[in-house]
Coordinates of all heavy atoms in Angstrom, one line a residue:
M1 N 0.8 -1.2 0.0 CA 0.0 0.0 0.0 C 0.9 1.3 0.0 O 1.9 1.3 0.7 CB -0.9 0.0 1.2 CG -1.7 1.3 1.4 SD -2.7 1.3 3.0 CE -4.1 0.3 2.5
T2 N 0.5 2.2 -0.8 CA 1.3 3.4 -0.8 C 0.9 4.3 0.3 O -0.2 4.2 0.8 CB 1.1 4.2 -2.1 OG1 -0.2 4.7 -2.1 CG2 1.3 3.4 -3.3
A3 N 1.8 5.2 0.8 CA 1.5 6.1 1.8 C 0.3 7.0 1.5 O -0.5 7.4 2.4 CB 2.7 6.9 2.2
I4 N 0.1 7.4 0.2 CA -1.0 8.2 -0.2 C -2.3 7.6 0.2 O -3.2 8.3 0.6 CB -0.9 8.4 -1.7 CG1 0.4 9.2 -2.1 CG2 -2.1 9.2 -2.2 CD1 0.7 9.3 -3.6
A5 N -2.4 6.3 0.0 CA -3.7 5.7 0.4 C -3.9 5.3 1.8 O -4.9 4.7 2.2 CB -3.8 4.4 -0.5
D6 N -2.9 5.6 2.6 CA -3.0 5.2 4.0 C -3.0 6.5 4.9 O -2.1 7.3 5.0 CB -1.7 4.4 4.4 CG -1.8 3.9 5.8 OD1 -2.5 4.4 6.6 OD2 -1.0 2.9 6.1
P7 N -4.1 6.7 5.6 CA -4.3 8.0 6.3 C -3.4 8.1 7.6 O -3.3 9.2 8.2 CB -5.8 8.0 6.7 CG -6.2 6.6 6.7 CD -5.3 5.9 5.6
T8 N -2.7 7.0 7.9 CA -1.8 7.1 9.1 C -0.5 7.8 8.7 O 0.3 8.1 9.6 CB -1.5 5.7 9.7 OG1 -0.8 4.9 8.7 CG2 -2.8 5.1 10.1
W9 N -0.2 8.0 7.4 CA 1.0 8.7 6.9 C 0.6 10.1 6.6 O -0.5 10.4 6.0 CB 1.5 8.0 5.7 CG 2.1 6.7 6.0 CD1 1.5 5.5 6.0 CD2 3.5 6.4 6.2 NE1 2.4 4.5 6.3 CE2 3.6 5.1 6.5 CE3 4.7 7.2 6.4 CZ2 4.8 4.5 6.8 CZ3 5.9 6.6 6.7 CH2 6.0 5.3 6.9
T10 N 1.5 11.1 6.8 CA 1.3 12.5 6.5 C 2.4 13.0 5.5 O 3.6 12.8 5.7 CB 1.4 13.3 7.8 OG1 0.4 12.9 8.7 CG2 1.2 14.8 7.5
L11 N 1.9 13.7 4.5 CA 2.9 14.2 3.5 C 3.5 15.4 4.1 O 2.9 16.3 4.7 CB 2.1 14.7 2.3 CG 2.9 15.3 1.1 CD1 3.9 14.3 0.6 CD2 1.9 15.9 0.1
V12 N 4.9 15.4 4.1 CA 5.6 16.5 4.8 C 6.5 17.3 3.9 O 7.1 18.3 4.3 CB 6.4 16.0 6.0 CG1 5.6 15.4 7.1 CG2 7.5 15.0 5.5
G13 N 6.6 17.0 2.6 CA 7.4 17.8 1.6 C 8.0 16.9 0.6 O 7.6 15.7 0.4
R14 N 9.0 17.4 0.0 CA 9.7 16.8 -1.1 C 11.2 16.5 -0.6 O 11.8 17.2 0.1 CB 9.8 17.7 -2.3 CG 8.5 18.2 -2.9 CD 7.8 17.1 -3.7 NE 8.7 16.6 -4.8 CZ 8.4 15.5 -5.5 NH1 7.2 14.9 -5.3 NH2 9.2 15.0 -6.4
V15 N 11.7 15.4 -1.1 CA 13.0 15.0 -0.7 C 14.1 16.1 -1.0 O 15.0 16.3 -0.3 CB 13.4 13.6 -1.3 CG1 13.6 13.7 -2.8 CG2 14.6 13.0 -0.6
E16 N 13.9 16.8 -2.1 CA 14.8 17.8 -2.5 C 14.8 19.0 -1.6 O 15.7 19.9 -1.6 CB 14.7 18.3 -4.0 CG 13.3 18.9 -4.3 CD 12.3 17.8 -4.9 OE1 12.5 16.6 -4.6 OE2 11.4 18.3 -5.6
D17 N 13.8 19.1 -0.7 CA 13.7 20.2 0.2 C 14.7 20.0 1.4 O 14.9 20.9 2.3 CB 12.3 20.3 0.8 CG 11.2 20.6 -0.2 OD1 11.6 21.3 -1.3 OD2 10.1 20.3 0.0
V18 N 15.2 18.8 1.5 CA 16.1 18.5 2.6 C 17.5 18.1 2.1 O 17.7 17.1 1.5 CB 15.6 17.2 3.4 CG1 16.4 17.0 4.7 CG2 14.1 17.3 3.8
P19 N 18.4 19.1 2.3 CA 19.8 18.9 1.7 C 20.5 17.7 2.4 O 20.2 17.4 3.6 CB 20.5 20.2 2.1 CG 19.4 21.2 2.2 CD 18.3 20.5 2.8
M20 N 21.3 17.0 1.7 CA 22.0 15.9 2.3 C 22.8 16.3 3.5 O 23.4 17.3 3.6 CB 23.0 15.3 1.2 CG 23.8 14.1 1.6 SD 22.7 12.6 1.9 CE 22.2 12.3 0.2
L21 N 22.6 15.4 4.6 CA 23.3 15.6 5.9 C 22.8 17.0 6.6 O 23.6 17.5 7.4 CB 24.8 15.6 5.7 CG 25.4 14.3 5.3 CD1 26.9 14.4 5.1 CD2 25.1 13.2 6.3
E22 N 21.6 17.3 6.3 CA 21.0 18.5 7.0 C 19.6 18.0 7.5 O 19.1 17.1 7.1 CB 20.9 19.7 6.2 CG 22.2 20.3 5.9 CD 22.1 21.7 5.2 OE1 21.0 22.3 5.3 OE2 23.0 22.1 4.5
G23 N 19.1 18.8 8.4 CA 17.8 18.6 9.0 C 16.8 19.7 8.6 O 17.3 20.8 8.4
R24 N 15.6 19.4 8.6 CA 14.5 20.4 8.4 C 13.4 20.0 9.4 O 13.2 18.9 9.7 CB 14.0 20.3 7.0 CG 15.0 20.8 5.9 CD 15.2 22.3 6.1 NE 16.1 22.9 5.1 CZ 17.4 23.0 5.2 NH1 18.0 22.6 6.3 NH2 18.1 23.5 4.2
T25 N 12.7 21.0 9.8 CA 11.6 20.8 10.8 C 10.3 20.9 10.1 O 10.1 21.8 9.2 CB 11.6 21.9 11.9 OG1 12.9 21.8 12.5 CG2 10.6 21.6 13.0
T26 N 9.4 20.0 10.4 CA 8.0 20.0 9.9 C 7.1 19.8 11.1 O 7.5 19.5 12.2 CB 7.9 19.0 8.8 OG1 6.6 19.1 8.2 CG2 8.0 17.5 9.3
A27 N 5.8 19.8 10.8 CA 4.8 19.5 11.8 C 3.9 18.4 11.3 O 3.5 18.3 10.2 CB 4.0 20.7 12.2
V28 N 3.6 17.4 12.3 CA 2.7 16.3 12.0 C 1.7 16.3 13.2 O 2.2 16.1 14.3 CB 3.4 15.0 11.8 CG1 2.4 13.9 11.6 CG2 4.4 15.1 10.6
D29 N 0.4 16.5 12.9 CA -0.6 16.4 14.0 C -0.2 17.4 15.2 O -0.3 17.0 16.3 CB -0.8 15.0 14.5 CG -1.5 14.1 13.5 OD1 -2.0 14.7 12.5 OD2 -1.4 12.9 13.7
G30 N 0.3 18.5 14.8 CA 0.7 19.5 15.8 C 2.0 19.2 16.6 O 2.3 19.9 17.5
R31 N 2.7 18.2 16.1 CA 4.0 17.9 16.8 C 5.1 18.2 15.9 O 5.0 17.9 14.7 CB 3.9 16.3 17.0 CG 5.0 15.8 17.9 CD 4.5 14.4 18.3 NE 5.6 13.6 18.8 CZ 5.5 12.4 19.3 NH1 4.3 11.8 19.3 NH2 6.5 11.7 19.8
R32 N 6.1 18.9 16.4 CA 7.3 19.3 15.6 C 8.2 18.1 15.4 O 8.6 17.4 16.4 CB 8.1 20.4 16.3 CG 7.2 21.6 16.6 CD 6.8 22.3 15.4 NE 7.8 23.0 14.7 CZ 7.8 23.5 13.5 NH1 6.6 23.4 12.8 NH2 8.8 24.1 12.9
I33 N 8.5 17.8 14.1 CA 9.4 16.7 13.8 C 10.5 17.2 13.0 O 10.4 18.0 12.1 CB 8.5 15.7 12.9 CG1 7.2 15.3 13.6 CG2 9.3 14.5 12.5 CD1 7.4 14.5 14.8
A34 N 11.7 16.6 13.3 CA 12.9 16.9 12.5 C 13.2 15.8 11.5 O 13.2 14.6 11.9 CB 14.1 17.1 13.5
I35 N 13.3 16.1 10.3 CA 13.6 15.1 9.3 C 15.0 15.3 8.7 O 15.5 16.5 8.6 CB 12.5 15.1 8.2 CG1 12.4 16.4 7.5 CG2 11.2 14.6 8.7 CD1 11.4 16.4 6.3
F36 N 15.7 14.2 8.4 CA 17.1 14.3 8.0 C 17.2 13.4 6.8 O 16.6 12.4 6.6 CB 18.0 13.7 9.1 CG 17.9 14.5 10.3 CD1 17.0 14.2 11.3 CD2 18.8 15.6 10.6 CE1 17.0 14.9 12.5 CE2 18.7 16.4 11.7 CZ 17.8 16.0 12.7
R37 N 18.1 13.9 5.9 CA 18.5 13.1 4.7 C 20.0 12.6 4.9 O 20.9 13.4 5.1 CB 18.4 13.9 3.5 CG 18.3 13.1 2.2 CD 17.7 14.1 1.1 NE 18.4 13.7 -0.1 CZ 18.6 14.6 -1.2 NH1 18.2 15.8 -1.0 NH2 19.2 14.2 -2.2
L38 N 20.1 11.3 4.8 CA 21.4 10.7 5.1 C 21.9 9.9 3.8 O 21.0 9.7 3.0 CB 21.3 9.6 6.2 CG 20.6 10.2 7.5 CD1 20.3 9.1 8.5 CD2 21.5 11.2 8.2
P39 N 23.1 9.7 3.7 CA 23.6 9.0 2.5 C 22.9 7.6 2.3 O 22.7 7.2 1.1 CB 25.1 8.8 2.8 CG 25.4 9.8 3.7 CD 24.2 10.0 4.6
D40 N 22.4 7.0 3.3 CA 21.8 5.7 3.2 C 20.3 5.7 3.5 O 19.7 4.7 3.8 CB 22.5 4.7 4.0 CG 22.6 5.0 5.5 OD1 22.2 6.2 5.8 OD2 22.9 4.2 6.3
G41 N 19.7 6.9 3.5 CA 18.3 6.9 3.8 C 17.8 8.2 4.4 O 18.4 9.2 4.4
L42 N 16.7 8.1 5.1 CA 16.0 9.2 5.7 C 15.8 8.9 7.2 O 15.8 7.7 7.6 CB 14.7 9.5 5.1 CG 14.7 9.8 3.6 CD1 13.4 9.5 2.9 CD2 15.0 11.3 3.4
A43 N 15.6 10.0 8.0 CA 15.3 9.7 9.4 C 14.3 10.8 9.9 O 14.4 12.0 9.4 CB 16.6 9.8 10.3
A44 N 13.5 10.5 10.9 CA 12.6 11.5 11.4 C 12.6 11.2 13.0 O 12.3 10.1 13.4 CB 11.2 11.3 10.8
I45 N 12.8 12.3 13.7 CA 12.7 12.3 15.2 C 12.0 13.5 15.7 O 11.8 14.4 14.9 CB 14.2 12.2 15.8 CG1 14.9 13.5 15.5 CG2 14.9 11.0 15.3 CD1 16.3 13.7 16.1
D46 N 11.6 13.4 17.0 CA 11.1 14.7 17.6 C 12.1 15.8 17.4 O 13.3 15.6 17.6 CB 10.8 14.4 19.1 CG 9.5 13.7 19.2 OD1 8.7 13.6 18.3 OD2 9.2 13.3 20.4
A47 N 11.5 17.0 17.2 CA 12.4 18.1 16.8 C 13.1 18.8 18.0 O 14.1 19.4 17.8 CB 11.6 19.2 16.0
H48 N 12.5 18.6 19.2 CA 13.1 19.3 20.3 C 13.9 18.3 21.2 O 13.5 17.2 21.6 CB 12.0 19.9 21.2 CG 11.3 21.0 20.4 ND1 10.0 20.9 20.1 CD2 11.8 22.2 20.0 CE1 9.6 22.1 19.4 NE2 10.7 22.8 19.4
C49 N 15.1 18.8 21.5 CA 16.0 17.9 22.4 C 15.4 17.8 23.7 O 14.9 18.7 24.3 CB 17.3 18.6 22.4 SG 18.5 17.8 23.5
P50 N 15.4 16.6 24.3 CA 14.7 16.3 25.6 C 15.6 16.9 26.7 O 15.0 17.1 27.9 CB 14.7 14.8 25.7 CG 15.7 14.3 24.8 CD 15.8 15.3 23.7
H51 N 16.8 17.4 26.5 CA 17.6 18.0 27.6 C 17.0 19.4 27.9 O 16.7 19.6 29.0 CB 19.0 18.1 27.1 CG 19.9 18.8 28.2 ND1 20.7 19.8 27.9 CD2 20.0 18.5 29.5 CE1 21.3 20.2 29.0 NE2 21.0 19.4 30.0
A52 N 17.0 20.3 26.9 CA 16.5 21.6 27.2 C 15.9 22.2 25.9 O 16.0 23.4 25.6 CB 17.6 22.5 27.7
A53 N 15.3 21.4 25.1 CA 14.4 21.8 23.9 C 15.3 22.4 22.8 O 14.8 23.2 22.0 CB 13.3 22.7 24.4
G54 N 16.5 22.0 22.7 CA 17.4 22.5 21.6 C 16.8 22.0 20.3 O 16.1 21.0 20.1
P55 N 17.0 22.8 19.2 CA 16.5 22.6 17.9 C 17.3 21.5 17.1 O 18.3 21.8 16.5 CB 16.5 23.9 17.2 CG 17.7 24.6 17.8 CD 17.8 24.1 19.2
L56 N 16.9 20.2 17.2 CA 17.7 19.2 16.7 C 17.9 19.2 15.2 O 18.9 18.8 14.7 CB 17.1 17.8 17.1 CG 17.2 17.5 18.6 CD1 16.5 16.2 19.0 CD2 18.7 17.5 19.1
A57 N 16.9 19.8 14.4 CA 17.1 19.9 13.0 C 18.3 20.8 12.6 O 18.8 20.7 11.5 CB 15.8 20.4 12.3
D58 N 18.7 21.6 13.5 CA 19.8 22.5 13.3 C 21.2 21.9 13.7 O 22.2 22.6 13.6 CB 19.7 23.8 14.0 CG 18.4 24.6 13.6 OD1 18.0 24.3 12.5 OD2 18.0 25.5 14.3
G59 N 21.2 20.7 14.2 CA 22.4 20.0 14.6 C 23.2 19.5 13.5 O 22.8 19.4 12.4
I60 N 24.5 19.2 13.9 CA 25.4 18.6 12.9 C 25.1 17.2 12.8 O 24.9 16.4 13.8 CB 26.9 18.7 13.4 CG1 27.2 20.2 13.6 CG2 27.9 18.0 12.5 CD1 27.3 21.0 12.3
V61 N 25.0 16.6 11.5 CA 24.7 15.3 11.2 C 26.0 14.5 10.8 O 26.7 15.0 9.9 CB 23.6 15.2 10.2 CG1 23.3 13.7 9.8 CG2 22.4 15.9 10.6
A62 N 26.3 13.4 11.4 CA 27.4 12.6 11.0 C 27.2 11.2 11.5 O 26.7 11.0 12.6 CB 28.7 13.2 11.5
D63 N 27.6 10.2 10.8 CA 27.5 8.8 11.2 C 26.2 8.4 11.7 O 26.0 7.8 12.8 CB 28.6 8.5 12.3 CG 30.0 8.8 11.8 OD1 30.2 8.6 10.6 OD2 30.8 9.3 12.6
S64 N 25.1 8.8 11.0 CA 23.7 8.5 11.4 C 23.3 9.0 12.8 O 22.5 8.4 13.5 CB 23.5 7.0 11.4 OG 23.6 6.5 10.0
C65 N 24.0 10.1 13.2 CA 23.7 10.7 14.5 C 23.5 12.2 14.3 O 24.1 12.8 13.3 CB 24.8 10.5 15.5 SG 25.0 8.8 16.0
V66 N 22.8 12.9 15.2 CA 22.7 14.4 15.1 C 23.2 14.9 16.5 O 22.9 14.3 17.5 CB 21.3 14.9 14.8 CG1 20.3 14.5 15.8 CG2 21.3 16.4 14.6
T67 N 24.0 15.9 16.5 CA 24.5 16.5 17.7 C 23.6 17.8 18.0 O 23.5 18.7 17.1 CB 25.9 16.9 17.6 OG1 26.7 15.7 17.3 CG2 26.5 17.5 18.8
C68 N 23.0 17.9 19.1 CA 22.2 19.0 19.5 C 23.1 20.3 19.5 O 24.2 20.3 20.1 CB 21.6 18.8 20.9 SG 20.5 20.2 21.4
P69 N 22.6 21.4 18.9 CA 23.5 22.6 18.8 C 23.6 23.3 20.2 O 24.4 24.2 20.3 CB 22.7 23.5 17.8 CG 21.3 23.0 17.8 CD 21.4 21.5 18.1
L70 N 22.7 23.0 21.2 CA 22.8 23.8 22.4 C 23.9 23.2 23.3 O 24.7 24.0 23.8 CB 21.5 23.8 23.1 CG 20.4 24.6 22.4 CD1 19.2 24.8 23.4 CD2 20.9 25.9 21.9
H71 N 23.8 22.0 23.7 CA 24.8 21.4 24.7 C 25.5 20.2 24.3 O 26.1 19.5 25.1 CB 24.1 21.2 26.1 CG 23.2 22.4 26.5 ND1 21.9 22.4 26.4 CD2 23.6 23.6 27.0 CE1 21.4 23.5 26.8 NE2 22.4 24.3 27.2
G72 N 25.3 19.8 23.0 CA 26.1 18.7 22.5 C 25.6 17.3 22.7 O 26.4 16.3 22.4
R73 N 24.4 17.1 23.2 CA 23.9 15.7 23.3 C 23.9 15.1 21.9 O 23.5 15.8 20.9 CB 22.5 15.6 23.8 CG 22.3 16.1 25.3 CD 22.9 15.1 26.2 NE 22.5 15.4 27.6 CZ 22.9 16.4 28.3 NH1 23.7 17.3 27.9 NH2 22.4 16.5 29.6
R74 N 24.3 13.9 21.7 CA 24.4 13.3 20.4 C 23.4 12.1 20.3 O 23.4 11.2 21.1 CB 25.8 12.7 20.2 CG 26.2 12.4 18.8 CD 27.7 12.4 18.6 NE 27.9 12.0 17.2 CZ 28.6 10.9 16.8 NH1 29.0 10.0 17.7 NH2 28.7 10.6 15.5
F75 N 22.5 12.2 19.4 CA 21.4 11.2 19.3 C 21.6 10.3 18.0 O 21.7 10.9 16.9 CB 20.0 11.9 19.2 CG 19.7 12.6 20.5 CD1 20.0 14.0 20.6 CD2 19.1 12.0 21.5 CE1 19.7 14.7 21.8 CE2 18.8 12.7 22.7 CZ 19.1 14.0 22.9
D76 N 21.4 9.1 18.2 CA 21.4 8.1 17.2 C 20.1 8.2 16.4 O 19.0 8.1 17.0 CB 21.6 6.7 17.7 CG 21.7 5.6 16.7 OD1 20.8 5.6 15.7 OD2 22.6 4.8 16.7
L77 N 20.1 8.5 15.2 CA 18.9 8.7 14.4 C 18.1 7.5 14.1 O 16.9 7.6 13.7 CB 19.2 9.4 13.1 CG 19.7 10.9 13.2 CD1 20.3 11.4 11.9 CD2 18.6 11.8 13.7
T78 N 18.7 6.3 14.3 CA 17.9 5.1 14.1 C 17.2 4.6 15.4 O 16.2 4.0 15.4 CB 18.8 4.0 13.6 OG1 19.9 3.7 14.5 CG2 19.3 4.4 12.2
T79 N 17.8 4.9 16.6 CA 17.3 4.4 17.9 C 16.7 5.5 18.7 O 15.8 5.3 19.6 CB 18.3 3.7 18.7 OG1 19.3 4.7 19.1 CG2 19.0 2.6 18.0
G80 N 17.1 6.8 18.5 CA 16.7 7.9 19.2 C 17.5 8.1 20.5 O 17.2 9.0 21.3
L81 N 18.4 7.1 20.9 CA 19.1 7.2 22.1 C 20.2 8.2 22.1 O 20.9 8.3 21.1 CB 19.6 5.8 22.5 CG 18.5 4.7 22.6 CD1 19.2 3.3 22.8 CD2 17.6 5.0 23.8
A82 N 20.5 8.9 23.2 CA 21.6 9.7 23.3 C 22.8 8.9 23.5 O 22.8 7.9 24.3 CB 21.4 10.7 24.4
L83 N 23.9 9.2 22.8 CA 25.1 8.4 23.0 C 26.0 9.0 24.2 O 26.9 8.4 24.7 CB 26.0 8.5 21.7 CG 25.3 8.0 20.5 CD1 26.2 8.0 19.3 CD2 24.8 6.6 20.7
N84 N 25.6 10.2 24.6 CA 26.4 10.8 25.7 C 25.4 11.5 26.8 O 25.6 12.5 27.2 CB 27.3 11.9 25.2 CG 26.6 13.0 24.3 OD1 25.4 12.8 24.0 ND2 27.3 14.0 23.9
G85 N 24.4 10.7 27.1 CA 23.4 11.1 28.1 C 22.4 10.1 28.3 O 22.4 9.1 27.6
D86 N 21.4 10.3 29.2 CA 20.4 9.3 29.4 C 19.1 9.6 28.6 O 18.2 8.8 28.7 CB 20.0 9.4 30.9 CG 21.1 8.9 31.8 OD1 22.0 8.1 31.3 OD2 21.2 9.4 32.9
E87 N 19.1 10.7 27.9 CA 17.9 11.1 27.2 C 17.7 10.2 25.9 O 18.6 9.6 25.5 CB 17.9 12.6 26.8 CG 18.0 13.5 28.0 CD 19.4 13.9 28.3 OE1 20.4 13.2 27.9 OE2 19.5 14.9 29.1
A88 N 16.4 10.3 25.4 CA 16.1 9.7 24.1 C 15.0 10.5 23.5 O 14.2 11.2 24.1 CB 15.6 8.3 24.3
V89 N 15.0 10.5 22.1 CA 13.9 11.2 21.4 C 13.2 10.1 20.6 O 13.7 9.0 20.3 CB 14.5 12.1 20.3 CG1 15.1 13.4 21.0 CG2 15.5 11.5 19.4
A90 N 11.9 10.4 20.4 CA 11.1 9.4 19.6 C 11.6 9.4 18.2 O 11.9 10.4 17.6 CB 9.6 9.9 19.7
V91 N 11.6 8.2 17.6 CA 11.9 8.0 16.2 C 10.7 7.6 15.4 O 9.9 6.8 15.9 CB 13.0 6.9 16.1 CG1 13.3 6.6 14.6 CG2 14.3 7.2 16.8
H92 N 10.4 8.4 14.4 CA 9.2 8.1 13.6 C 9.5 7.5 12.3 O 10.7 7.6 11.8 CB 8.5 9.5 13.4 CG 8.3 10.3 14.6 ND1 7.3 9.9 15.5 CD2 9.0 11.3 15.2 CE1 7.4 10.7 16.6 NE2 8.3 11.6 16.4
E93 N 8.6 6.9 11.7 CA 8.8 6.3 10.4 C 8.7 7.3 9.3 O 7.9 8.3 9.4 CB 7.6 5.3 10.0 CG 7.6 4.0 10.9 CD 6.5 3.1 10.5 OE1 6.6 2.4 9.5 OE2 5.4 3.1 11.2
I94 N 9.6 7.2 8.3 CA 9.6 8.1 7.2 C 9.9 7.3 5.9 O 10.7 6.4 6.0 CB 10.7 9.3 7.4 CG1 10.6 10.3 6.2 CG2 12.1 8.7 7.7 CD1 11.4 11.6 6.5
R95 N 9.2 7.7 4.9 CA 9.5 7.1 3.6 C 9.3 8.1 2.5 O 8.7 9.1 2.6 CB 8.5 5.9 3.4 CG 7.1 6.3 3.2 CD 6.2 5.2 2.6 NE 6.0 4.0 3.4 CZ 4.9 3.2 3.2 NH1 4.1 3.4 2.2 NH2 4.7 2.2 4.0
E96 N 10.0 7.7 1.4 CA 9.9 8.5 0.2 C 9.2 7.8 -0.9 O 9.4 6.6 -1.1 CB 11.3 8.9 -0.4 CG 11.3 9.7 -1.6 CD 12.5 9.6 -2.5 OE1 13.5 9.0 -2.0 OE2 12.4 9.9 -3.7
E97 N 8.2 8.4 -1.6 CA 7.5 7.8 -2.7 C 7.5 8.8 -3.8 O 6.9 9.9 -3.7 CB 6.1 7.4 -2.3 CG 6.1 6.2 -1.4 CD 4.6 5.7 -1.1 OE1 3.7 6.2 -1.7 OE2 4.5 4.7 -0.3
D98 N 8.1 8.5 -4.9 CA 8.2 9.4 -6.1 C 8.6 10.8 -5.7 O 8.0 11.8 -6.1 CB 6.8 9.5 -6.8 CG 6.4 8.1 -7.3 OD1 7.3 7.4 -7.7 OD2 5.2 7.8 -7.3
G99 N 9.6 10.9 -4.8 CA 10.1 12.2 -4.4 C 9.4 12.9 -3.2 O 9.8 13.9 -2.7
A100 N 8.2 12.3 -2.9 CA 7.4 12.9 -1.7 C 7.8 12.2 -0.5 O 8.1 11.0 -0.4 CB 5.9 12.7 -2.0
L101 N 7.9 13.0 0.6 CA 8.3 12.5 1.9 C 7.0 12.4 2.8 O 6.2 13.3 2.9 CB 9.2 13.5 2.6 CG 10.6 13.6 2.0 CD1 11.5 14.6 2.8 CD2 11.4 12.3 1.9
W102 N 6.9 11.2 3.4 CA 5.8 10.9 4.2 C 6.3 10.5 5.6 O 7.3 9.8 5.7 CB 5.0 9.7 3.6 CG 4.4 10.1 2.3 CD1 5.0 10.0 1.1 CD2 3.1 10.5 2.0 NE1 4.1 10.3 0.1 CE2 2.9 10.7 0.6 CE3 2.0 10.7 2.8 CZ2 1.7 11.1 0.1 CZ3 0.8 11.1 2.3 CH2 0.7 11.3 0.9
V103 N 5.6 10.9 6.6 CA 6.0 10.5 8.0 C 4.8 9.9 8.7 O 3.6 10.3 8.5 CB 6.4 11.8 8.8 CG1 6.5 11.5 10.3 CG2 7.8 12.3 8.3
R104 N 5.1 8.9 9.5 CA 4.0 8.3 10.4 C 4.6 8.3 11.8 O 5.7 7.8 12.1 CB 3.7 6.9 10.0 CG 2.7 6.2 10.8 CD 2.0 5.0 10.2 NE 2.9 3.9 9.9 CZ 2.5 2.8 9.2 NH1 1.2 2.8 8.8 NH2 3.3 1.9 9.0
L105 N 3.8 9.0 12.7 CA 4.3 9.1 14.1 C 4.4 7.8 14.8 O 3.6 6.9 14.5 CB 3.3 10.0 14.8 CG 3.2 11.5 14.3 CD1 2.2 12.3 15.2 CD2 4.6 12.2 14.3
A106 N 5.4 7.7 15.6 CA 5.6 6.5 16.4 C 4.5 6.3 17.5 O 3.9 7.3 17.9 CB 7.0 6.5 17.1
Ligands
FES1 S1 19.2 21.2 24.7 FE1 20.1 19.6 23.6 S2 21.9 19.1 24.7 FE2 20.9 20.6 25.9

């Protein structure tokens, strides 16, 4: 089934709107979501860092992780777990279909 036909998925933009190794913020059901484009795929996590609400979409992306720009917590984009702290962010499903990006909340 395509995401278009499934109401649990939300259209959030086009893949070309997200530069490689950068994040962009979008909203799904009133929740801020950070989406990332990686060399081997896409990732979607909650946009606010659980430490002090830093803007994770503005963080540096490397090795499938994003580093929060405020205090440096580093989150694995596949698990949501901080590599240097006890916090975690929710990881959401994201898929691309014909260049369109779709997110389904966890
Ligand atoms: S707000 Fe992200 S590490 Fe502090």
Side-chain angles (χ1 to χ4, degrees):
M1 175 185 280
T2 70
I4 295 170
D6 184 339
T8 63
W9 290 88
T10 300
L11 179 65
V12 296
R14 304 276 313 165
V15 68
E16 60 265 24
D17 297 336
V18 186
M20 183 64 69
L21 295 177
E22 289 190 22
R24 291 291 183 268
T25 304
T26 188
V28 177
D29 293 343
R31 191 162 163 180
R32 302 294 288 169
I33 306 296
I35 57 178
F36 299 91
R37 199 163 143 208
L38 308 168
D40 58 350
L42 298 156
I45 62 173
D46 279 349
H48 294 113
C49 177
H51 177 233
L56 291 176
D58 295 340
I60 301 293
V61 178
D63 300 327
S64 296
C65 295
V66 62
T67 300
C68 179
L70 290 194
H71 312 101
R73 297 288 195 287
R74 193 160 181 247
F75 295 93
D76 185 312
L77 291 169
T78 58
T79 67
L81 299 175
L83 303 183
N84 54 351
D86 295 331
E87 298 92 347
V89 291
V91 175
H92 308 285
E93 293 182 77
I94 183 167
R95 65 160 74 157
E96 182 209 339
E97 287 184 5
D98 298 327
L101 293 178
W102 297 83
V103 167
R104 179 157 65 186
L105 297 181

